[in-house]
Short mmCIF file of all heavy atoms in Angstrom, two decimals:
data_model
loop_
_atom_site.label_atom_id
_atom_site.label_comp_id
_atom_site.label_asym_id
_atom_site.label_seq_id
_atom_site.Cartn_x
_atom_site.Cartn_y
_atom_site.Cartn_z
N THR A 1 -17.44 -26.77 -196.37
CA THR A 1 -18.52 -27.29 -195.52
C THR A 1 -19.76 -27.66 -196.32
O THR A 1 -20.75 -28.11 -195.73
CB THR A 1 -18.92 -26.26 -194.45
OG1 THR A 1 -19.38 -25.07 -195.09
CG2 THR A 1 -17.74 -25.92 -193.55
N SER A 2 -19.75 -27.50 -197.65
CA SER A 2 -20.99 -27.67 -198.41
C SER A 2 -21.48 -29.11 -198.46
O SER A 2 -22.67 -29.37 -198.65
CB SER A 2 -20.80 -27.15 -199.84
OG SER A 2 -19.87 -27.93 -200.54
N ALA A 3 -20.57 -30.09 -198.29
CA ALA A 3 -20.97 -31.49 -198.34
C ALA A 3 -21.31 -32.05 -196.95
O ALA A 3 -21.56 -33.25 -196.82
CB ALA A 3 -19.86 -32.33 -198.97
N LEU A 4 -21.32 -31.19 -195.94
CA LEU A 4 -21.48 -31.66 -194.57
C LEU A 4 -22.90 -31.48 -194.06
O LEU A 4 -23.60 -30.53 -194.44
CB LEU A 4 -20.53 -30.89 -193.64
CG LEU A 4 -19.03 -30.98 -193.95
CD1 LEU A 4 -18.25 -30.16 -192.93
CD2 LEU A 4 -18.56 -32.43 -193.94
N ASP A 5 -23.30 -32.39 -193.19
CA ASP A 5 -24.52 -32.21 -192.43
C ASP A 5 -24.36 -30.95 -191.58
O ASP A 5 -23.27 -30.66 -191.08
CB ASP A 5 -24.71 -33.44 -191.52
CG ASP A 5 -26.02 -33.37 -190.75
OD1 ASP A 5 -26.05 -32.65 -189.73
OD2 ASP A 5 -26.97 -34.03 -191.15
N PRO A 6 -25.43 -30.15 -191.40
CA PRO A 6 -25.32 -28.91 -190.63
C PRO A 6 -24.70 -29.08 -189.25
O PRO A 6 -24.04 -28.18 -188.74
CB PRO A 6 -26.78 -28.43 -190.53
CG PRO A 6 -27.44 -28.98 -191.74
CD PRO A 6 -26.79 -30.31 -191.97
N THR A 7 -24.90 -30.25 -188.63
CA THR A 7 -24.35 -30.46 -187.29
C THR A 7 -22.83 -30.55 -187.31
O THR A 7 -22.19 -30.46 -186.27
CB THR A 7 -24.92 -31.75 -186.67
OG1 THR A 7 -24.59 -32.87 -187.50
CG2 THR A 7 -26.43 -31.66 -186.53
N MET A 8 -22.22 -30.78 -188.49
CA MET A 8 -20.78 -30.96 -188.59
C MET A 8 -20.03 -29.72 -189.07
O MET A 8 -18.81 -29.68 -189.04
CB MET A 8 -20.46 -32.13 -189.54
CG MET A 8 -21.05 -33.45 -189.11
SD MET A 8 -20.76 -34.73 -190.34
CE MET A 8 -21.70 -36.09 -189.64
N VAL A 9 -20.78 -28.72 -189.53
CA VAL A 9 -20.15 -27.53 -190.10
C VAL A 9 -19.24 -26.86 -189.09
O VAL A 9 -18.11 -26.44 -189.41
CB VAL A 9 -21.24 -26.55 -190.62
CG1 VAL A 9 -20.62 -25.20 -190.97
CG2 VAL A 9 -21.95 -27.14 -191.83
N GLY A 10 -19.71 -26.75 -187.85
CA GLY A 10 -18.93 -26.06 -186.82
C GLY A 10 -17.58 -26.70 -186.55
O GLY A 10 -16.62 -26.02 -186.21
N GLU A 11 -17.48 -28.04 -186.71
CA GLU A 11 -16.21 -28.73 -186.51
C GLU A 11 -15.14 -28.18 -187.44
O GLU A 11 -13.98 -27.99 -187.06
CB GLU A 11 -16.36 -30.23 -186.80
CG GLU A 11 -17.29 -31.00 -185.91
CD GLU A 11 -17.37 -32.46 -186.33
OE1 GLU A 11 -16.45 -32.94 -187.02
OE2 GLU A 11 -18.36 -33.13 -185.99
N VAL A 12 -15.55 -27.97 -188.69
CA VAL A 12 -14.59 -27.55 -189.72
C VAL A 12 -14.30 -26.05 -189.62
O VAL A 12 -13.14 -25.63 -189.70
CB VAL A 12 -15.11 -27.93 -191.12
CG1 VAL A 12 -14.19 -27.39 -192.22
CG2 VAL A 12 -15.24 -29.45 -191.23
N THR A 13 -15.34 -25.24 -189.44
CA THR A 13 -15.11 -23.80 -189.36
C THR A 13 -14.26 -23.44 -188.15
O THR A 13 -13.48 -22.49 -188.19
CB THR A 13 -16.44 -23.02 -189.34
OG1 THR A 13 -17.25 -23.47 -188.24
CG2 THR A 13 -17.20 -23.21 -190.64
N ALA A 14 -14.38 -24.21 -187.05
CA ALA A 14 -13.56 -23.94 -185.86
C ALA A 14 -12.08 -24.14 -186.17
O ALA A 14 -11.23 -23.35 -185.72
CB ALA A 14 -13.98 -24.84 -184.71
N VAL A 15 -11.76 -25.17 -186.96
CA VAL A 15 -10.36 -25.41 -187.34
C VAL A 15 -9.84 -24.28 -188.22
O VAL A 15 -8.72 -23.79 -188.04
CB VAL A 15 -10.22 -26.77 -188.05
CG1 VAL A 15 -8.82 -26.94 -188.64
CG2 VAL A 15 -10.52 -27.92 -187.09
N ILE A 16 -10.67 -23.84 -189.17
CA ILE A 16 -10.24 -22.76 -190.07
C ILE A 16 -10.06 -21.46 -189.29
O ILE A 16 -9.10 -20.69 -189.54
CB ILE A 16 -11.25 -22.59 -191.22
CG1 ILE A 16 -11.34 -23.88 -192.04
CG2 ILE A 16 -10.86 -21.42 -192.12
CD1 ILE A 16 -12.43 -23.87 -193.10
N LYS A 17 -10.95 -21.19 -188.34
CA LYS A 17 -10.79 -19.99 -187.50
C LYS A 17 -9.47 -20.03 -186.73
O LYS A 17 -8.80 -19.00 -186.59
CB LYS A 17 -11.97 -19.87 -186.52
CG LYS A 17 -13.27 -19.44 -187.16
CD LYS A 17 -14.40 -19.49 -186.13
CE LYS A 17 -15.74 -19.19 -186.76
NZ LYS A 17 -16.86 -19.33 -185.80
N ARG A 18 -9.12 -21.20 -186.25
CA ARG A 18 -7.86 -21.34 -185.52
C ARG A 18 -6.67 -21.05 -186.43
O ARG A 18 -5.72 -20.37 -186.03
CB ARG A 18 -7.75 -22.75 -184.93
CG ARG A 18 -6.46 -22.98 -184.15
CD ARG A 18 -6.48 -24.30 -183.42
NE ARG A 18 -5.23 -24.55 -182.74
CZ ARG A 18 -5.01 -25.58 -181.94
NH1 ARG A 18 -5.97 -26.45 -181.71
NH2 ARG A 18 -3.83 -25.74 -181.36
N LEU A 19 -6.71 -21.54 -187.67
CA LEU A 19 -5.64 -21.25 -188.63
C LEU A 19 -5.54 -19.75 -188.89
O LEU A 19 -4.44 -19.21 -189.01
CB LEU A 19 -5.89 -22.00 -189.95
CG LEU A 19 -5.79 -23.52 -189.91
CD1 LEU A 19 -6.18 -24.10 -191.26
CD2 LEU A 19 -4.39 -23.97 -189.52
N ALA A 20 -6.70 -19.10 -188.98
CA ALA A 20 -6.70 -17.64 -189.20
C ALA A 20 -6.02 -16.93 -188.04
O ALA A 20 -5.21 -16.01 -188.24
CB ALA A 20 -8.13 -17.14 -189.38
N LEU A 21 -6.33 -17.35 -186.81
CA LEU A 21 -5.72 -16.73 -185.63
C LEU A 21 -4.21 -16.95 -185.61
O LEU A 21 -3.46 -16.12 -185.08
CB LEU A 21 -6.34 -17.30 -184.35
CG LEU A 21 -7.80 -16.89 -184.08
CD1 LEU A 21 -8.35 -17.69 -182.90
CD2 LEU A 21 -7.90 -15.39 -183.81
N GLU A 22 -3.76 -18.07 -186.19
CA GLU A 22 -2.32 -18.37 -186.22
C GLU A 22 -1.60 -17.69 -187.38
O GLU A 22 -0.39 -17.84 -187.53
CB GLU A 22 -2.13 -19.89 -186.30
CG GLU A 22 -2.57 -20.61 -185.02
CD GLU A 22 -2.57 -22.12 -185.16
OE1 GLU A 22 -2.35 -22.62 -186.30
OE2 GLU A 22 -2.78 -22.82 -184.14
N GLY A 23 -2.35 -16.96 -188.23
CA GLY A 23 -1.71 -16.17 -189.28
C GLY A 23 -1.60 -16.85 -190.64
O GLY A 23 -0.92 -16.33 -191.52
N MET A 24 -2.27 -17.99 -190.83
CA MET A 24 -2.23 -18.66 -192.13
C MET A 24 -2.93 -17.81 -193.19
O MET A 24 -4.03 -17.32 -192.97
CB MET A 24 -2.89 -20.04 -192.03
CG MET A 24 -3.05 -20.76 -193.37
SD MET A 24 -1.48 -21.14 -194.21
CE MET A 24 -0.89 -22.51 -193.19
N THR A 25 -2.28 -17.64 -194.33
CA THR A 25 -2.91 -16.98 -195.46
C THR A 25 -3.93 -17.93 -196.08
O THR A 25 -3.61 -19.09 -196.35
CB THR A 25 -1.86 -16.59 -196.51
OG1 THR A 25 -0.81 -15.85 -195.87
CG2 THR A 25 -2.47 -15.74 -197.61
N MET A 26 -5.15 -17.44 -196.33
CA MET A 26 -6.20 -18.33 -196.83
C MET A 26 -7.11 -17.60 -197.82
O MET A 26 -7.36 -16.40 -197.69
CB MET A 26 -7.04 -18.88 -195.68
CG MET A 26 -6.29 -19.81 -194.75
SD MET A 26 -7.34 -20.56 -193.47
CE MET A 26 -7.46 -19.20 -192.31
N ALA A 27 -7.60 -18.37 -198.79
CA ALA A 27 -8.68 -17.92 -199.68
C ALA A 27 -9.76 -18.99 -199.60
O ALA A 27 -9.48 -20.17 -199.82
CB ALA A 27 -8.18 -17.75 -201.10
N ILE A 28 -10.99 -18.57 -199.30
CA ILE A 28 -12.06 -19.51 -198.97
C ILE A 28 -13.31 -19.17 -199.76
O ILE A 28 -13.84 -18.05 -199.64
CB ILE A 28 -12.39 -19.46 -197.46
CG1 ILE A 28 -11.13 -19.62 -196.60
CG2 ILE A 28 -13.43 -20.52 -197.10
CD1 ILE A 28 -11.31 -19.18 -195.15
N VAL A 29 -13.79 -20.11 -200.55
CA VAL A 29 -15.12 -19.99 -201.16
C VAL A 29 -16.11 -20.60 -200.18
O VAL A 29 -15.95 -21.76 -199.77
CB VAL A 29 -15.18 -20.72 -202.52
CG1 VAL A 29 -16.62 -20.72 -203.05
CG2 VAL A 29 -14.26 -20.06 -203.53
N THR A 30 -17.13 -19.84 -199.80
CA THR A 30 -18.05 -20.34 -198.78
C THR A 30 -19.45 -19.77 -198.96
O THR A 30 -19.63 -18.67 -199.50
CB THR A 30 -17.54 -20.01 -197.36
OG1 THR A 30 -18.41 -20.60 -196.39
CG2 THR A 30 -17.47 -18.51 -197.13
N HIS A 31 -20.43 -20.53 -198.48
CA HIS A 31 -21.81 -20.05 -198.38
C HIS A 31 -22.19 -19.79 -196.92
O HIS A 31 -23.33 -19.42 -196.64
CB HIS A 31 -22.78 -21.07 -198.97
CG HIS A 31 -22.72 -21.16 -200.47
ND1 HIS A 31 -23.16 -20.16 -201.31
CD2 HIS A 31 -22.23 -22.13 -201.28
CE1 HIS A 31 -22.98 -20.52 -202.56
NE2 HIS A 31 -22.41 -21.71 -202.58
N GLU A 32 -21.25 -19.98 -196.00
CA GLU A 32 -21.50 -19.76 -194.57
C GLU A 32 -21.22 -18.29 -194.26
O GLU A 32 -20.10 -17.87 -194.00
CB GLU A 32 -20.60 -20.66 -193.72
CG GLU A 32 -20.82 -22.15 -193.94
CD GLU A 32 -22.10 -22.63 -193.31
OE1 GLU A 32 -22.59 -21.99 -192.35
OE2 GLU A 32 -22.63 -23.65 -193.78
N MET A 33 -22.28 -17.47 -194.27
CA MET A 33 -22.10 -16.02 -194.19
C MET A 33 -21.61 -15.55 -192.82
O MET A 33 -20.80 -14.64 -192.73
CB MET A 33 -23.40 -15.31 -194.56
CG MET A 33 -23.79 -15.49 -196.01
SD MET A 33 -22.55 -14.87 -197.18
CE MET A 33 -21.92 -16.41 -197.82
N GLU A 34 -22.12 -16.16 -191.75
CA GLU A 34 -21.66 -15.75 -190.42
C GLU A 34 -20.18 -16.08 -190.25
O GLU A 34 -19.42 -15.30 -189.67
CB GLU A 34 -22.50 -16.42 -189.34
CG GLU A 34 -22.32 -15.83 -187.95
CD GLU A 34 -22.76 -14.38 -187.84
OE1 GLU A 34 -23.61 -13.93 -188.63
OE2 GLU A 34 -22.23 -13.69 -186.96
N PHE A 35 -19.79 -17.21 -190.78
CA PHE A 35 -18.38 -17.60 -190.78
C PHE A 35 -17.55 -16.60 -191.58
O PHE A 35 -16.49 -16.15 -191.13
CB PHE A 35 -18.25 -19.01 -191.36
CG PHE A 35 -16.85 -19.44 -191.70
CD1 PHE A 35 -15.90 -19.65 -190.71
CD2 PHE A 35 -16.48 -19.64 -193.02
CE1 PHE A 35 -14.61 -20.04 -191.03
CE2 PHE A 35 -15.19 -20.04 -193.35
CZ PHE A 35 -14.26 -20.24 -192.35
N ALA A 36 -18.03 -16.23 -192.77
CA ALA A 36 -17.31 -15.25 -193.60
C ALA A 36 -17.16 -13.92 -192.87
O ALA A 36 -16.10 -13.29 -192.90
CB ALA A 36 -18.04 -15.05 -194.93
N ARG A 37 -18.21 -13.51 -192.20
CA ARG A 37 -18.17 -12.25 -191.46
C ARG A 37 -17.13 -12.29 -190.34
O ARG A 37 -16.40 -11.33 -190.10
CB ARG A 37 -19.55 -11.95 -190.87
CG ARG A 37 -19.65 -10.61 -190.16
CD ARG A 37 -20.82 -10.61 -189.18
NE ARG A 37 -22.10 -10.72 -189.82
CZ ARG A 37 -22.88 -9.68 -190.10
NH1 ARG A 37 -22.50 -8.46 -189.78
NH2 ARG A 37 -24.06 -9.85 -190.66
N ASN A 38 -17.04 -13.43 -189.66
CA ASN A 38 -16.20 -13.52 -188.46
C ASN A 38 -14.73 -13.77 -188.77
O ASN A 38 -13.86 -13.36 -188.01
CB ASN A 38 -16.71 -14.63 -187.54
CG ASN A 38 -18.03 -14.27 -186.89
OD1 ASN A 38 -18.36 -13.09 -186.73
ND2 ASN A 38 -18.80 -15.27 -186.51
N VAL A 39 -14.42 -14.47 -189.86
CA VAL A 39 -13.05 -14.94 -190.09
C VAL A 39 -12.28 -14.07 -191.08
O VAL A 39 -11.06 -14.07 -191.09
CB VAL A 39 -13.05 -16.41 -190.56
CG1 VAL A 39 -13.40 -16.53 -192.04
CG2 VAL A 39 -11.72 -17.08 -190.26
N SER A 40 -12.98 -13.31 -191.92
CA SER A 40 -12.33 -12.65 -193.06
C SER A 40 -11.59 -11.37 -192.68
O SER A 40 -12.02 -10.63 -191.80
CB SER A 40 -13.37 -12.28 -194.12
OG SER A 40 -14.17 -13.36 -194.47
#
């Protein structure tokens, strides 16, 4: 999400959260701390 306008960040994090709920194994470098807290 680092190259995105703040208004677009949620579009991408929502997709990644959905993948997490579906059981996809993931490693994510991020500066979005609330996202890291919720998805990890």
Side-chain angles (χ1 to χ4, degrees):
T1 61
S2 66
L4 301 180
D5 184 280
T7 60
M8 300 175 186
V9 169
E11 296 178 22
V12 175
T13 57
V15 171
I16 299 173
K17 287 175 185 175
R18 180 172 177 174
L19 293 176
L21 290 172
E22 292 172 353
M24 173 62 74
T25 308
M26 293 185 281
I28 308 163
V29 173
T30 184
H31 288 290
E32 299 286 335
M33 293 300 108
E34 193 64 24
F35 167 68
R37 184 201 295 263
N38 289 336
V39 79
S40 309

